[in-house]
Amino acid sequence: MFRCIRYDVMVGARHLVFPAIAVLMLSWALLCVGYSNAAFLDISADAFGFADNVSMIWGGAARYELRPSVPFRPPLGWLLLVQATLFASSRYPYEDLFEGGFHSIIRSRSRYRWTISKAIWVVLVTIVMLLCTVIVAALWTLWHRQEFSALLHPQVASAIGVGSEVVLESTSSIIPFLSGVTVGLLSLSLFQLVMSLLAQPPIAILTCAVLLIFAAYTQTPLLVGNTLMFARWDGCVSSGVPFGASIVVAAATLTLSILISIVCVQRRDLLSRGTNL
């Protein structure tokens, strides 16, 4: 199994360069937008630190309420950030199976090992992309000589567009939210892996994009995208998505995605897809 994972890391690394650059640039842009909003709203950002910077990157959008003459502005920056993170792991497993599967599956010696290896690769890539956003937040904090702390400031909620029902306190930590983001991203990435194996990567990417857009418009723990938005976290707003329920849904999606991937690869007729196997 270790040989399979090492092979995936070495061969699949070439697929990570452009997504990583996109994630880094989008994270920096979202920080610029967040601090610009704070300045426009006359919010003092002097006390902001590392945790506040992370929350700005993953801010998302506040709950949408359908009211006359109140248009909904989708969180385009957040959508692009999540899509860039998911895109990093979208192509390689499919390409390896249907274009280079002969070498990879022979190394794995079984389809089961191949699938588990690819699932682990997807997990590693997703964590690397998430770390890119954390690194940008850390560099911003270092450059502006801010405090490296996991504690959030209540004013950051206003800076990302949450205008009411704020429940943030000076003792609130970013750690629970980041754990939810991690589980949520992993579940979406592995769900995308399933869709890639059942169909093709473009269809998987489009499906995830549609789910994220629905999540931006609809606040429910059943849509994992809500778990990735700081403005929807119940530790930030009283009407937010229940954290426990969203984690359960994300964990269930993650587990089912791995199981379905294993079954899909075990039963797939690879010869009909033009491979050498």
Side-chain angles (χ1 to χ4, degrees), residues 55-75:
S55 68
M56 285 187 185
I57 293 175
W58 293 99
R63 181 181 60 175
Y64 174 60
E65 297 180 2
L66 183 60
R67 291 180 295 174
S69 70
V70 179
F72 176 72
R73 297 178 180 178

Side-chain angles (χ1 to χ4, degrees), residues 8-80:
D8 288 334
V9 170
M10 293 176 60
V11 177
R14 68 179 187 273
H15 294 271
L16 306 183
V17 177
F18 292 109
I21 293 174
V23 168
L24 291 170
M25 294 180 64
L26 285 167
S27 300
W28 176 81
L30 288 167
L31 278 172
C32 291
V33 170
Y35 277 88
S36 296
N37 288 339
F40 178 78
L41 298 172
D42 198 24
I43 298 172
S44 176
D46 296 337
F48 285 179
F50 172 73
D52 304 298
N53 295 334
V54 173
S55 68
M56 285 187 185
I57 293 175
W58 293 99
R63 181 181 60 175
Y64 174 60
E65 297 180 2
L66 183 60
R67 291 180 295 174
S69 70
V70 179
F72 176 72
R73 297 178 180 178
L76 294 179
W78 174 85
L79 284 169
L80 290 173

Side-chain angles (χ1 to χ4, degrees), residues 120-261:
I120 293 174
W121 183 83
V122 169
V123 169
L124 292 176
V125 170
T126 304
I127 292 175
V128 168
M129 294 298 111
L130 177 59
L131 285 176
C132 286
T133 67
V134 175
I135 289 172
V136 171
L139 291 176
W140 183 285
T141 303
L142 183 64
W143 180 262
H144 293 276
R145 298 181 180 179
Q146 297 172 326
E147 182 182 4
F148 277 92
S149 173
L151 297 181
L152 294 156
H153 293 82
Q155 296 85 353
V156 74
S158 299
I160 63 174
V162 181
S164 61
E165 302 179 298
V166 177
V167 296
L168 279 176
E169 300 177 357
S170 58
T171 56
S172 299
S173 173
I174 194 66
I175 301 300
F177 172 72
L178 266 183
S179 64
V181 170
T182 303
V183 178
L185 282 176
L186 291 177
S187 66
L188 281 176
S189 298
L190 290 168
F191 172 77
Q192 184 179 248
L193 174 64
V194 173
M195 294 301 300
S196 296
L197 296 175
L198 290 174
Q200 289 184 356
I203 296 176
I205 293 171
L206 180 61
T207 302
C208 288
V210 171
L211 291 175
L212 290 172
I213 292 172
F214 272 119
Y217 279 86
T218 308
Q219 179 169 304
T220 170
L222 296 178
L223 292 173
V224 178
N226 283 273
T227 310
L228 310 180
M229 288 187 272
F230 184 76
R232 303 277 177 93
W233 178 43
D234 64 353
C236 177
V237 291
S238 58
S239 61
V241 177
F243 182 73
S246 61
I247 290 295
V248 169
V249 171
T253 303
L254 186 155
T255 304
L256 285 174
S257 296
I258 295 176
L259 294 177
I260 295 174
S261 296

